[in-house]
Amino acid sequence: MKETQACLKKCVDPVNYSDLTARIAVQSGIEQNIIVAEDVHMSLNLIPKPLTEIILQGKHVSFQSIKISISPKNEELMALADYLSNRLQHEMPMGETSGNIRLILLDKTDLGEEGYELTVTQTGVQLSAQSPAGLFYAIQTLLQLIPAHQKEGFSLPAVSIRDIPRFAWRGAMIDVARHFFSVEDVKRYIDLIAHYKMNRLHLHLTDDQGWRIEIKSWPKLTEIGARTQVNGNGGGYYTQEEYKEIIGYARVRYVTVIPEIDTPGHTNAALASYPELNESEEAPNLYEGTEVGFSTLSINRAVTYQFLDDVIRELAALTPTPYIHIGGDEARSTPEEDYKKFIRRIQEIVIAHGRRTIGWGEIGEAELLPGTIAQHWFGASYQEAKKQGAKIILSPANKTYLDMKYNASTPVGLDWAGLISVKDSYDWDPGSYMQLLEENDILGIEAPIWSETLLTMKDVEYLAFPRLLAVAELAWSPHGQDWEDFRQRLAAHGKRMEAMNINFYRSPEIDWT
């Protein structure tokens, strides 16, 4: 074991060294004559990069047929086994006692709610966690260990992995207001982000160009406000049943959906539907352009707050998750004092319906109530939010906005926040990037993709991938990222993204294999 221990000291975080050495010896049953690969990250090519990973060189486990067992036997673990079975296109789970892939819940509080351990030995694969969410992320790692394009039978390296996320909030946002995307499109995006261990989907449901969620007490929002999108050519919206279908689909993949009703600006679709929400009481025309900052709700009318109360009430009833996003950005047509009054009132409405408020960074300029979260995208208003005790979600536009072009010749996307290469999206540290923010101020990271120029999911995928993988790793993996290491692992993911039918950008920064 001296040779093994010497290599472990090179490959593993010293804090976890003794624990991992003992774990391999106990769990693998092959403590004699094992050799640990020194270049582990080149070998596994996992994204996000795990906290610790040990490969037992020369040991591979072949699987020609799959049997899944779970312990304990309960409905949620059965659903996870079913999910894995479908992904592997193999047999259904066999129960609690047999199986060469074992999903096990253990009393391991040190793993937290989303951490996991995964071991591959000659006796099979064991995925263990404290919670089902942890097992779901262990499954994503297992799926990445299986060679891309593999359909029948595969061989896995003998390996021991221990993994815990850095941030609790690992999000992606998709704008369905500027251009509408179907239920199936949104499900596709949920699958893709969940595979890379992202756990939040922020749905930008309303904007000047369209209102995308059915509100039964205000039916004209979709009868009128959903008719169009950028450059016309129709629009669309989700019925409440369709929205609940999205929520349910996300829940099975341990993704929390955060609905956004953007207010008090970005509201032209609502104003065109109900003229009484306008100061002038006249309905503007529906809008198909891309300019911002010209619309505002009437701040001093009682009907405005009745409208908001009804919308938030119905949305909260449909969304059994803790958060509602109220927008708050680019309210250039709302007087400053009216804006501050409005932000206070809408937080009270959200709280009254049992939810926590999230708003874009500008809400830091108003009074924030306890529990409100600010999402930084541009400017320095997050500093005022921090002073009021708010946690911050990081979405700096020049790093995480996936709708920015890669370079000047990118056929879709925008460039107002700059051109963002794959390296740009990866090579920064969230814990120290923002002035006057420390890591314990940060709830997590979210990567928005705005859809002014995006007509199809293929457009979305082209801009999101591979930069979404960079953001996913920053959100999950421990501090101390290495661009060259990531670049090499990402190169190996080209074939995996091909196998997933992702329309990704083949960046010249990456030596795709």
Side-chain angles (χ1 to χ4, degrees):
M1 286 292 286
K2 291 183 178 179
E3 179 183 357
T4 301
Q5 292 171 343
C7 187
L8 280 169
K9 290 177 181 178
K10 298 177 186 177
C11 301
V12 180
D13 184 332
V15 174
N16 299 295
Y17 160 62
S18 299
D19 182 48
L20 281 168
T21 306
R23 185 177 299 110
I24 290 174
V26 172
Q27 293 185 345
S28 70
I30 51 172
E31 63 268 37
Q32 300 298 322
N33 301 317
I34 63 175
I35 302 172
V36 181
E38 298 202 21
D39 198 0
V40 294
H41 307 308
M42 282 291 293
S43 300
L44 291 184
N45 296 316
L46 296 172
I47 298 176
K49 180 179 179 179
L51 178 66
T52 55
E53 53 186 33
I54 302 173
I55 303 169
L56 310 178
Q57 195 175 61
K59 298 283 186 178
H60 277 73
V61 183
S62 295
F63 293 84
Q64 296 305 317
S65 63
I66 299 296
K67 293 182 181 178
I68 304 170
S69 63
I70 58 174
S71 179
K73 189 174 183 180
N74 63 38
E75 186 175 338
E76 193 163 7
L77 263 62
M78 285 293 290
L80 280 170
D82 189 27
Y83 169 87
L84 176 57
S85 180
N86 288 334
R87 290 293 304 270
L88 295 177
Q89 298 179 350
H90 279 282
E91 296 180 32
M92 287 289 290
M94 300 300 292
E96 294 183 76
T97 57
S98 64
N100 52 5
I101 297 182
R102 300 177 292 277
L103 309 182
I104 303 175
L105 285 183
L106 300 173
D107 185 15
K108 303 259 319 163
T109 56
D110 58 325
L111 291 174
E113 284 300 307
E114 297 181 302
Y116 66 89
E117 293 176 347
L118 184 155
T119 58
V120 181
T121 70
Q122 297 301 316
T123 62
V125 181
Q126 179 165 305
L127 292 72
S128 56
Q130 178 183 311
S131 73
L135 288 178
F136 179 80
Y137 297 124
I139 287 171
Q140 304 314 309
T141 297
L142 173 61
L143 293 173
Q144 286 193 24
L145 289 173
I146 298 171
H149 299 283
Q150 197 76 42
K151 295 298 182 183
E152 293 185 8
F154 50 84
S155 178
L156 298 178
V159 65
S160 178
I161 294 172
R162 177 179 170 85
D163 209 2
I164 302 171
R166 179 180 183 182
F167 291 109
W169 192 286
R170 305 180 304 279
M173 188 217 81
I174 184 167
D175 170 15
V176 299
R178 270 55 176 271
H179 280 101
F180 181 67
F181 294 94
S182 71
V183 171
E184 292 307 311
D185 287 337
V186 175
K187 287 180 177 179
R188 163 80 169 164
Y189 207 53
I190 289 169
D191 279 327
L192 295 179
I193 68 172
H195 183 58
Y196 291 101
K197 301 184 175 70
M198 302 184 94
N199 64 354
R200 302 286 189 271
L201 179 70
H202 173 176
L203 280 178
H204 184 78
L205 288 168
T206 70
D207 215 296
D208 291 313
Q209 298 84 354
W211 186 283
R212 308 301 183 200
I213 179 68
E214 177 188 23
I215 302 297
K216 292 185 183 295
S217 56
W218 295 74
K220 292 181 183 179
L221 290 170
T222 47
E223 290 172 6
I224 297 173
R227 288 178 183 173
T228 191
Q229 56 189 359
V230 169
N231 295 328
N233 298 317
Y237 67 93
Y238 307 118
T239 67
Q240 293 196 357
E241 288 304 311
E242 288 173 329
Y243 179 76
K244 287 192 289 186
E245 183 181 343
I246 290 171
I247 297 289
Y249 192 86
R251 186 187 300 117
V252 172
R253 288 147 183 83
Y254 296 87
V255 172
T256 298
V257 173
I258 295 91
E260 179 185 352
I261 303 298
D262 205 348
T263 58
H266 291 277
T267 49
N268 192 80
L271 303 178
S273 304
Y274 288 97
E276 59 266 39
L277 300 175
N278 293 272
E279 192 67 31
S280 68
E281 298 189 26
E282 295 180 0
N285 293 327
L286 291 171
Y287 183 64
E288 300 177 359
T290 59
E291 294 301 317
V292 299
F294 62 88
S295 62
T296 182
L297 292 168
S298 178
I299 303 304
N300 297 302
R301 290 180 180 273
V303 67
T304 296
Y305 300 99
Q306 183 60 57
F307 163 72
L308 292 169
D309 188 68
D310 289 338
V311 169
I312 299 303
R313 171 178 51 79
E314 291 195 34
L315 201 57
L318 295 169
T319 313
T321 52
Y323 314 99
I324 289 179
H325 203 300
I326 54 93
D329 60 314
E330 298 176 319
R332 298 168 188 167
S333 296
T334 310
E336 182 178 352
E337 289 307 310
D338 282 353
Y339 178 81
K340 291 179 179 179
K341 173 183 175 181
F342 176 87
I343 294 301
R344 168 79 192 208
R345 288 286 300 275
I346 194 168
Q347 289 177 91
E348 291 172 344
I349 291 171
V350 171
I351 291 169
H353 291 290
R355 299 295 185 269
R356 290 182 67 181
T357 305
I358 305 174
W360 295 106
E362 290 94 319
I363 67 169
E365 303 298 328
E367 179 187 359
L368 300 185
L369 300 182
T372 292
I373 298 164
Q375 184 169 0
H376 166 71
W377 67 282
F378 188 77
S381 297
Y382 68 88
Q383 295 177 7
E384 297 303 315
K386 175 193 170 179
K387 289 177 184 177
Q388 298 186 64
K391 290 292 185 181
I392 311 298
I393 299 168
L394 289 186
S395 299
N398 64 331
K399 294 293 185 182
T400 68
Y401 269 34
L402 302 178
D403 54 299
M404 294 298 111
K405 295 185 175 188
Y406 295 96
N407 54 52
S409 62
T410 305
V412 291
L414 304 172
D415 61 7
W416 63 264
L419 303 174
I420 304 178
S421 68
V422 179
K423 187 176 190 293
D424 291 332
S425 65
Y426 181 82
D427 206 10
W428 60 290
D429 176 33
S432 59
Y433 182 69
M434 304 304 300
Q435 187 178 14
L436 301 182
L437 274 194
E438 299 177 359
E439 184 147 339
N440 60 6
D441 299 317
I442 300 166
L443 190 59
I445 311 173
E446 184 174 294
I449 190 160
W450 302 95
S451 66
E452 288 95 332
T453 67
L454 310 181
L455 278 69
T456 68
M457 271 306 290
K458 291 298 182 185
D459 294 337
V460 170
E461 291 175 15
Y462 184 78
L463 288 181
F465 292 87
R467 291 182 295 192
L468 187 72
L469 278 65
V471 177
E473 176 147 313
L474 292 177
W476 178 280
S477 300
H479 170 70
Q481 64 274 9
D482 180 334
W483 161 248
E484 193 58 33
D485 175 55
F486 176 75
R487 190 179 74 87
Q488 293 178 34
R489 284 181 286 120
L490 182 57
H493 268 254
K495 289 191 179 298
R496 189 164 301 280
M497 287 189 285
E498 286 176 357
M500 296 168 71
N501 198 31
I502 297 173
N503 182 39
F504 67 98
Y505 169 62
R506 298 175 190 275
S507 169
E509 300 170 280
I510 311 302
D511 299 324
W512 302 101
T513 56

